[in-house]
Amino acid sequence: MTTLTREEIVRGLAENRESPNGAARNAHAEALAGAAETSGDRTLFREALDNLINAYLYSSESSRMLVPFARLLQEYDKDPGAFSHWDAHSLFWQFKWVATAISDSPGIPLESATGWLDEMERRYRIAGYSERPVREAELWLADAIGEDERAERAFRSWLAAERDDMSDCRACELNGQGQYAVLHGNDAEALELWKPVLDGDLTCAEEPHRLLATSLLPLLRLGRADEARSHHLRGYRMARGNESLLPSVGKHIEFCALTGNESRGLEILADHAAHVAPLANLDDRLAFHGAILVLLRRLRELGHGRTPAVPYEGTPRSVDELYEVLYAGCLDIARQFDARNGTTRVSDRFLAQVGREPLLAALPLGVRSAALPQTAPAPAPVPAAPGSGPALTAAAFTDLVERARRARDLGHPGTDALWAEVAVRLDAQPEVDPLVRADLADQQALAAGRRGDKEAPELLSAVRENYRALGLAERVALAELRLAGVAAQSGAAPAEVRALLRAALRSAEALDAAEPLRARRIALAELSAIRMESYLRSVETPDADDHHDHHGVLAAELTDFVAAHEGTVADLVAEAEEMLGRVALAQGDPERAVPLLAASAARAVLADRPWQAVDPLVLRAGVLMNLQRPEEAEAAARSALEHSAEVTDPETQGVVRLTLADILLQRGDAAAESAEHALVGAHWFDQAGLTADGGAHARLLLARAYAGDGRSAEAVEVLQSALADLLEHGDQQAVSVREFLGDLLRRLHDLRPAAEQYLLAAEITKDWEDPRPQAGLAHSAADTLNDAGLAVEAAAAYERALELHRRTGEVPVAEVRILRSLAWLGLRAEVTAATVAEARKRMEEAAEVLEAALAADPGAPGLRSELAQTWHQLGQVLDRHINANGQSHEDDDLGDDEGDEGDEEDERLADAGVERATPLSPAEVDELRLEEIELCDRAARVYAELGPDHLRDRFQSVNNAAWTEQERGDAEAGSARVSALIDEIRALPEADLPDWLLPAAERLLAQLNDRD
């Protein structure tokens, strides 16, 4: 076994503290502790034990901290004086973790657990700490063993005890207090307690991560589903992949299982497949696996028992198999707790959890999830009918048929469902009117025609003959018209289609004059002929140049139809007006389309067919937005949503909501409502099987709405879930989406992933003729990499962005900002004469770019402001040089102590591979300070010329110049600058004067005078 040196152990501990939590970190921490003990260095051994305890804590092996803690406690008892104040504080703080670990370890006898709690109380009392953490630990032990009265006493004592340095943070304490309220059925009280944490006012390393998960079921039970959805999206993002938060991950899985999001739950389970194992921490294992069991049981109930789940101990498992192995394991753990505690409290809670029923049938989450595999063909949905049951009475069946016929005659969206129920109930009737069978066959043939089935013509011909035999000439005429439609749909020759149309019209015209539907059948045949004739003309003359003529003919025919039938068949006239509106759009005349579409919708509503108004209203809303008439567009979209209540087509429902969501988002002040509609729209597109198309666009809009409402974390989750789909919609879309995702991640300070998105977007644009998009993306990537501290990568990205901007020659401000960023980036590692010279060169280059641009446009305020900013920043570069190197010249005059500190700094820099800069002489320092003052003055003059909008910039320039004068020993000059500025400020109109400016300037003057 290789023996580690002290330096290697020290370096290893530093590395271990920065390593990701988990088994690998724990193993390394164990090895380091062993090596430290072998070294005989007790201080190093104590440090290694402390590191091992912390490693265990933030992993799934937290129960293993007991042994190293006991060893560390022994070290303390041997020599308390060897522990610094901070070391002792850390040891007593860890006592709380150990108390929890003991309570959560069924292998530790109850007497030992109680003994450790007593020991904690004794040591806290001797050390002068409050009993508050002790009572909290006692509460959870008493609750676990079923001593509810003791738990309540401990709870009251916990709240009453004084908070001190040993108390948990407020966020963690509120978590526990709320959980206790939930155990007693007080969900609302818990959520009120948790509010400061959930709102982000109180945070810590694991909050609000845990509480966002813990709050899910209480919110659902209180009917606050929107908040629960939000907490899931935010919280899972925080908990994902964190080993110490596996119980929280489990709560997100359980939430999905209880809200109709089983597929999402299965995806989260797959994300954490490596942790579906016999975890060392049995309490965490029971919590995590117990939540998984809720999902697995739900999947089994839905018929997915044979669906692959995730492996367990290296063996692939189906849902059924994983359920059995996890259930047995959890039940065994629960019984271990019961045996130790002398109560069934733990197993009772486990069984209650696994048996939970869904709280919502379906809660749309907004994120894309793969659909679960079909277990069996789904029956056609049927609405409940009065008297429905295993068998309907003759009267109830007759009523059902009449409702189906009325729906058919109205063209109601629920017609198919009603006839589907008729089909189900038909065989149970002792005698059935032949007309019912004919009507049912008609509906089935019509459905076959819509699907394009090959047998549709044969079915329709049979229907026609059935109606003919029954003497229903008006139904015969309708069947003949449908035969023409099926022929056109199947690509029959134009002559054949026209012949069928003529036959249908003749049948309609031949109807008895007393037939109530005669006028309607004739009008329907005429409108169908107009529609199909337009199609046939396009088939016969496919040349695009003739399309305008086709549109003109079609518009004339439709106009004549509207004039001829306006007072009789309102719904058909509404169809014709909608067609006229579409023709106007095809002819490039949106202004003419708008009133036609409005008239169509209004006529459909008056005809008691509000569902027919939906399509023209949605189209009208889109046209109005293109015409920059957003208020009217919103009104049209809202009207479409109102009239869509009875629409059963999921795609139409999705389109309606997506249209309104888009309009509201563009309004700029309705992001929250836009998100609601986009969320529901995504759900409907999923139902329609259009997840990758309309669903992807709805999710993109949902992400934008969330971002506009300040909900960036939710926006990221939604957008990332739809990213693969959106990237398939063309390069322009891919670039836009990746840039948007980069912006969101940057807002959340996920800087490396953000930069990756910018760079991936830039890669797509590299072959585009216009270099500006790539330049902008490279610039964003560079800024993000810079913020992430990746100097080398940032510099490369800045250089690439600079090259691209220069290629365009159109964006001097972007070029200047890159040059300034490169200047500062060069000073990050070290501030020497060489790095300062390079930074100065960059700043001066930026000034030259601006001066050239101003030569062409001398009055441009943006360019002048950037030039002033460049001068000011150059002054700050010089100030950085002075501060880094200007005092070194005076080291020769320091005493021995100060000289030793300088030597230590030299050693530190040498260890980092950095040579200490050559000290500046007093003359060099003064020269630089004079130049800095001149640059700040120059910037301040430009800001003064630019007016009140630049008062903050001007004040900062004056502030820097004044303090630099002070550092030169000319305090009066600095005060004079500020006094002059104050006089100018007092002379400004009140409307131009920011509230902060005069107090800040007066405070600055006082500070300068105090230093004088």
Side-chain angles (χ1 to χ4, degrees), residues 38 116 173 251 325 434 485 505 522 762 786 838 861 864 869 875:
T38 301
W116 269 97
E173 284 202 333
K251 289 172 183 175
V325 70
L505 181 58
I522 292 171
N786 193 2
E838 181 62 26
R864 297 180 68 203
Q869 179 73 351

Side-chain angles (χ1 to χ4, degrees), residues 841-877:
K841 177 183 174 184
R842 295 284 192 180
M843 290 291 184
E844 290 173 348
E845 191 177 350
E848 289 171 4
V849 170
L850 289 165
E851 287 163 355
L854 282 165
D857 186 6
L863 295 175
R864 297 180 68 203
S865 171
E866 290 292 332
L867 182 57
Q869 179 73 351
T870 303
W871 288 332
H872 190 187
Q873 288 196 30
L874 177 54
Q876 291 173 311
V877 167

Side-chain angles (χ1 to χ4, degrees), residues 430-551:
E431 293 184 15
V432 178
D433 184 345
L435 179 57
V436 175
R437 294 190 184 277
D439 285 343
L440 185 58
D442 180 31
Q443 191 67 24
Q444 292 168 342
L446 179 60
R450 287 198 298 258
R451 293 191 301 268
D453 293 351
K454 292 181 179 180
E455 62 269 21
E458 181 180 347
L459 292 173
L460 283 168
S461 295
V463 166
R464 178 184 60 188
E465 297 312 314
N466 286 340
Y467 281 134
R468 185 169 283 149
L470 292 169
L472 294 176
E474 62 92 7
R475 300 300 299 176
V476 171
L478 186 58
E480 289 185 337
L481 186 57
R482 287 174 178 166
L483 277 167
V486 167
Q489 182 179 342
S490 63
E496 179 185 347
V497 176
R498 289 187 176 107
L500 290 169
L501 284 169
R502 286 194 296 271
L505 181 58
R506 284 196 300 271
S507 294
E509 291 173 339
L511 290 172
D512 191 293
E515 168 58 56
L517 292 174
R518 180 177 184 274
R520 180 174 185 80
R521 290 290 175 262
I522 292 171
L524 182 58
E526 290 175 352
L527 183 58
S528 299
I530 292 170
R531 182 186 292 111
M532 279 187 266
E533 186 58 43
S534 175
Y535 162 72
L536 295 174
R537 285 195 296 266
S538 67
V539 170
E540 291 173 329
T541 56
D543 191 338
D545 292 339
D546 294 326
H547 284 182
H548 184 75
D549 293 338
H550 294 332
H551 292 147

Side-chain angles (χ1 to χ4, degrees), residues 169-175 179 191 193-216 219 227 230-240 242 245 248-249 251-252 713:
C169 76
R170 289 290 297 143
C172 289
E173 284 202 333
L174 290 175
N175 182 333
Q179 287 196 56
L191 288 164
L193 284 167
W194 292 336
K195 192 173 186 303
V197 183
L198 295 172
D199 289 349
D201 298 329
L202 296 174
T203 62
C204 71
E206 292 192 330
E207 297 296 356
H209 315 47
R210 294 183 302 167
L211 265 184
L212 286 167
T214 304
S215 66
L216 294 171
L219 285 168
E227 292 173 74
S230 174
H231 287 194
H232 168 64
L233 295 178
R234 290 169 55 207
Y236 178 59
R237 174 179 170 76
M238 292 179 169
R240 181 193 291 125
N242 191 325
L245 293 177
S248 295
V249 172
K251 289 172 183 175
H252 286 283

Side-chain angles (χ1 to χ4, degrees), residues 110-165:
L110 192 58
E111 295 79 9
S112 297
T114 303
W116 269 97
L117 192 62
D118 292 341
E119 180 67 7
M120 177 183 176
E121 182 175 12
R122 182 184 72 82
R123 286 180 179 267
Y124 270 41
R125 185 171 59 251
I126 292 172
Y129 290 121
S130 167
E131 68 169 346
R132 191 177 180 93
V134 181
R135 300 284 77 85
E136 181 182 5
E138 181 186 10
L139 160 65
W140 297 118
L141 179 61
D143 175 74
I145 63 179
E147 294 185 2
D148 292 339
E149 291 185 4
R150 180 184 176 188
E152 180 64 21
R153 288 196 304 273
F155 177 70
R156 297 298 173 193
S157 298
W158 172 27
L159 297 186
E162 181 183 357
R163 281 184 56 82
D164 64 3
D165 289 348

